[in-house]
mmCIF file of all heavy atoms in Angstrom:
data_model
loop_
_atom_site.group_PDB
_atom_site.id
_atom_site.type_symbol
_atom_site.label_atom_id
_atom_site.label_comp_id
_atom_site.label_asym_id
_atom_site.label_seq_id
_atom_site.Cartn_x
_atom_site.Cartn_y
_atom_site.Cartn_z
ATOM 1 N N GLU N 1 11.479 -9.469 0.717
ATOM 2 C CA GLU N 1 10.357 -10.383 0.486
ATOM 3 C C GLU N 1 9.176 -10.028 1.401
ATOM 4 O O GLU N 1 8.023 -10.047 0.984
ATOM 5 C CB GLU N 1 10.787 -11.830 0.687
ATOM 6 C CG GLU N 1 11.705 -12.364 -0.388
ATOM 7 C CD GLU N 1 11.078 -12.313 -1.774
ATOM 8 O OE1 GLU N 1 9.879 -12.609 -1.905
ATOM 9 O OE2 GLU N 1 11.789 -11.972 -2.737
ATOM 10 N N ASP N 2 9.467 -9.698 2.634
ATOM 11 C CA ASP N 2 8.396 -9.351 3.582
ATOM 12 C C ASP N 2 7.682 -8.053 3.140
ATOM 13 O O ASP N 2 6.464 -7.970 3.208
ATOM 14 C CB ASP N 2 8.972 -9.173 5.003
ATOM 15 C CG ASP N 2 9.345 -10.489 5.636
ATOM 16 O OD1 ASP N 2 8.906 -11.547 5.122
ATOM 17 O OD2 ASP N 2 10.101 -10.463 6.625
ATOM 18 N N GLU N 3 8.467 -7.075 2.704
ATOM 19 C CA GLU N 3 7.877 -5.810 2.226
ATOM 20 C C GLU N 3 7.027 -6.047 0.981
ATOM 21 O O GLU N 3 5.931 -5.508 0.832
ATOM 22 C CB GLU N 3 8.970 -4.797 1.931
ATOM 23 C CG GLU N 3 9.664 -4.263 3.170
ATOM 24 C CD GLU N 3 10.911 -3.451 2.814
ATOM 25 O OE1 GLU N 3 11.558 -3.727 1.792
ATOM 26 O OE2 GLU N 3 11.224 -2.507 3.584
ATOM 27 N N ALA N 4 7.549 -6.870 0.090
ATOM 28 C CA ALA N 4 6.873 -7.090 -1.203
ATOM 29 C C ALA N 4 5.497 -7.728 -1.024
ATOM 30 O O ALA N 4 4.587 -7.486 -1.824
ATOM 31 C CB ALA N 4 7.748 -7.943 -2.099
ATOM 32 N N GLU N 5 5.350 -8.523 -0.002
ATOM 33 C CA GLU N 5 4.066 -9.187 0.237
ATOM 34 C C GLU N 5 2.919 -8.179 0.413
ATOM 35 O O GLU N 5 1.767 -8.465 0.076
ATOM 36 C CB GLU N 5 4.147 -10.095 1.482
ATOM 37 C CG GLU N 5 4.888 -11.379 1.246
ATOM 38 C CD GLU N 5 4.872 -12.274 2.463
ATOM 39 O OE1 GLU N 5 4.163 -11.933 3.444
ATOM 40 O OE2 GLU N 5 5.563 -13.314 2.458
ATOM 41 N N LYS N 6 3.270 -6.983 0.897
ATOM 42 C CA LYS N 6 2.231 -5.958 1.122
ATOM 43 C C LYS N 6 1.895 -5.175 -0.151
ATOM 44 O O LYS N 6 0.945 -4.403 -0.162
ATOM 45 C CB LYS N 6 2.739 -4.965 2.194
ATOM 46 C CG LYS N 6 3.013 -5.617 3.522
ATOM 47 C CD LYS N 6 3.620 -4.608 4.499
ATOM 48 C CE LYS N 6 4.001 -5.267 5.820
ATOM 49 N NZ LYS N 6 4.660 -4.297 6.745
ATOM 50 N N GLY N 7 2.667 -5.400 -1.198
ATOM 51 C CA GLY N 7 2.436 -4.658 -2.435
ATOM 52 C C GLY N 7 2.943 -3.231 -2.356
ATOM 53 O O GLY N 7 3.605 -2.832 -1.378
ATOM 54 N N VAL N 8 2.605 -2.451 -3.378
ATOM 55 C CA VAL N 8 3.036 -1.070 -3.467
ATOM 56 C C VAL N 8 1.853 -0.168 -3.775
ATOM 57 O O VAL N 8 0.812 -0.620 -4.281
ATOM 58 C CB VAL N 8 4.122 -0.875 -4.531
ATOM 59 C CG1 VAL N 8 5.427 -1.490 -4.098
ATOM 60 C CG2 VAL N 8 3.693 -1.411 -5.890
ATOM 61 N N CYS N 9 2.005 1.121 -3.465
ATOM 62 C CA CYS N 9 0.966 2.081 -3.783
ATOM 63 C C CYS N 9 1.622 3.432 -4.058
ATOM 64 O O CYS N 9 2.733 3.704 -3.614
ATOM 65 C CB CYS N 9 -0.066 2.181 -2.671
ATOM 66 S SG CYS N 9 0.609 2.575 -1.051
ATOM 67 N N THR N 10 0.899 4.295 -4.779
ATOM 68 C CA THR N 10 1.435 5.601 -5.101
ATOM 69 C C THR N 10 0.318 6.521 -5.563
ATOM 70 O O THR N 10 -0.832 6.114 -5.759
ATOM 71 C CB THR N 10 2.514 5.514 -6.188
ATOM 72 O OG1 THR N 10 3.267 6.731 -6.227
ATOM 73 C CG2 THR N 10 1.917 5.249 -7.562
ATOM 74 N N HIS N 11 0.670 7.798 -5.778
ATOM 75 C CA HIS N 11 -0.200 8.729 -6.489
ATOM 76 C C HIS N 11 0.577 9.276 -7.672
ATOM 77 O O HIS N 11 1.794 9.454 -7.601
ATOM 78 C CB HIS N 11 -0.697 9.864 -5.579
ATOM 79 C CG HIS N 11 0.394 10.620 -4.878
ATOM 80 N ND1 HIS N 11 1.184 11.571 -5.485
ATOM 81 C CD2 HIS N 11 0.845 10.548 -3.572
ATOM 82 C CE1 HIS N 11 2.034 12.078 -4.613
ATOM 83 N NE2 HIS N 11 1.877 11.473 -3.445
ATOM 84 N N SER N 12 -0.103 9.491 -8.789
ATOM 85 C CA SER N 12 0.611 9.855 -10.020
ATOM 86 C C SER N 12 -0.396 10.359 -11.053
ATOM 87 O O SER N 12 -1.532 9.920 -11.119
ATOM 88 C CB SER N 12 1.334 8.633 -10.589
ATOM 89 O OG SER N 12 1.754 8.848 -11.923
ATOM 90 N N SER N 13 0.086 11.318 -11.889
ATOM 91 C CA SER N 13 -0.741 11.777 -12.995
ATOM 92 C C SER N 13 -0.742 10.805 -14.149
ATOM 93 O O SER N 13 -1.500 10.948 -15.105
ATOM 94 C CB SER N 13 -0.228 13.147 -13.503
ATOM 95 O OG SER N 13 1.130 13.044 -13.904
ATOM 96 N N GLY N 14 0.123 9.779 -14.093
ATOM 97 C CA GLY N 14 0.050 8.799 -15.174
ATOM 98 C C GLY N 14 1.268 7.896 -15.322
ATOM 99 O O GLY N 14 1.211 6.716 -15.081
ATOM 100 N N ASN N 15 2.398 8.459 -15.738
ATOM 101 C CA ASN N 15 3.523 7.605 -16.123
ATOM 102 C C ASN N 15 4.139 6.821 -14.959
ATOM 103 O O ASN N 15 4.550 5.672 -15.110
ATOM 104 C CB ASN N 15 4.594 8.408 -16.843
ATOM 105 C CG ASN N 15 4.248 8.672 -18.293
ATOM 106 O OD1 ASN N 15 3.467 7.943 -18.912
ATOM 107 N ND2 ASN N 15 4.818 9.719 -18.865
ATOM 108 N N HIS N 16 4.192 7.432 -13.773
ATOM 109 C CA HIS N 16 4.695 6.672 -12.625
ATOM 110 C C HIS N 16 3.689 5.606 -12.243
ATOM 111 O O HIS N 16 4.085 4.490 -11.864
ATOM 112 C CB HIS N 16 4.960 7.616 -11.458
ATOM 113 C CG HIS N 16 5.430 6.909 -10.220
ATOM 114 N ND1 HIS N 16 6.641 6.253 -10.130
ATOM 115 C CD2 HIS N 16 4.828 6.740 -8.998
ATOM 116 C CE1 HIS N 16 6.777 5.717 -8.928
ATOM 117 N NE2 HIS N 16 5.701 5.993 -8.224
ATOM 118 N N ALA N 17 2.405 5.916 -12.337
ATOM 119 C CA ALA N 17 1.362 4.935 -12.014
ATOM 120 C C ALA N 17 1.481 3.698 -12.894
ATOM 121 O O ALA N 17 1.463 2.561 -12.411
ATOM 122 C CB ALA N 17 -0.017 5.562 -12.156
ATOM 123 N N LEU N 18 1.610 3.910 -14.197
ATOM 124 C CA LEU N 18 1.659 2.754 -15.091
ATOM 125 C C LEU N 18 3.012 2.047 -14.991
ATOM 126 O O LEU N 18 3.101 0.824 -15.139
ATOM 127 C CB LEU N 18 1.317 3.148 -16.522
ATOM 128 C CG LEU N 18 2.147 4.170 -17.260
ATOM 129 C CD1 LEU N 18 3.287 3.500 -18.015
ATOM 130 C CD2 LEU N 18 1.280 4.954 -18.255
ATOM 131 N N SER N 19 4.071 2.815 -14.703
ATOM 132 C CA SER N 19 5.406 2.192 -14.547
ATOM 133 C C SER N 19 5.467 1.343 -13.293
ATOM 134 O O SER N 19 6.049 0.248 -13.297
ATOM 135 C CB SER N 19 6.484 3.277 -14.518
ATOM 136 O OG SER N 19 6.555 3.956 -15.750
ATOM 137 N N LEU N 20 4.886 1.830 -12.190
ATOM 138 C CA LEU N 20 4.858 1.050 -10.959
ATOM 139 C C LEU N 20 3.998 -0.170 -11.123
ATOM 140 O O LEU N 20 4.328 -1.265 -10.629
ATOM 141 C CB LEU N 20 4.353 1.925 -9.796
ATOM 142 C CG LEU N 20 4.572 1.341 -8.406
ATOM 143 C CD1 LEU N 20 6.059 1.234 -8.083
ATOM 144 C CD2 LEU N 20 3.869 2.180 -7.335
ATOM 145 N N SER N 21 2.893 -0.033 -11.851
ATOM 146 C CA SER N 21 2.035 -1.191 -12.138
ATOM 147 C C SER N 21 2.786 -2.234 -12.952
ATOM 148 O O SER N 21 2.678 -3.447 -12.702
ATOM 149 C CB SER N 21 0.770 -0.751 -12.879
ATOM 150 O OG SER N 21 0.030 0.151 -12.114
ATOM 151 N N TYR N 22 3.561 -1.761 -13.929
ATOM 152 C CA TYR N 22 4.390 -2.665 -14.750
ATOM 153 C C TYR N 22 5.387 -3.433 -13.876
ATOM 154 O O TYR N 22 5.496 -4.656 -13.953
ATOM 155 C CB TYR N 22 5.117 -1.860 -15.830
ATOM 156 C CG TYR N 22 6.290 -2.587 -16.450
ATOM 157 C CD1 TYR N 22 6.100 -3.440 -17.529
ATOM 158 C CD2 TYR N 22 7.578 -2.409 -15.975
ATOM 159 C CE1 TYR N 22 7.184 -4.126 -18.097
ATOM 160 C CE2 TYR N 22 8.669 -3.078 -16.512
ATOM 161 C CZ TYR N 22 8.455 -3.936 -17.587
ATOM 162 O OH TYR N 22 9.517 -4.600 -18.133
ATOM 163 N N ALA N 23 6.109 -2.684 -13.042
ATOM 164 C CA ALA N 23 7.140 -3.309 -12.219
ATOM 165 C C ALA N 23 6.522 -4.266 -11.185
ATOM 166 O O ALA N 23 7.027 -5.370 -10.966
ATOM 167 C CB ALA N 23 7.973 -2.226 -11.514
ATOM 168 N N ALA N 24 5.415 -3.847 -10.580
ATOM 169 C CA ALA N 24 4.745 -4.723 -9.603
ATOM 170 C C ALA N 24 4.255 -5.991 -10.274
ATOM 171 O O ALA N 24 4.332 -7.085 -9.681
ATOM 172 C CB ALA N 24 3.596 -3.958 -8.942
#
C-alpha cells in the first residue's frame, strides 16, 4: 500500500506502457 501511493512509471514502445496504465 505504501509503494502504491507513489504510483508507477516506465519506458516502453507501446504495449507495456498501455498495459501498465491499464493495471494502474
Side-chain angles (χ1 to χ4, degrees):
E1 289 301 320
D2 287 344
E3 290 170 329
E5 285 183 6
K6 300 175 184 177
V8 289
C9 56
T10 195
H11 54 78
S12 165
S13 59
N15 280 338
H16 178 66
L18 61 90
S19 295
L20 193 65
S21 299
Y22 163 85

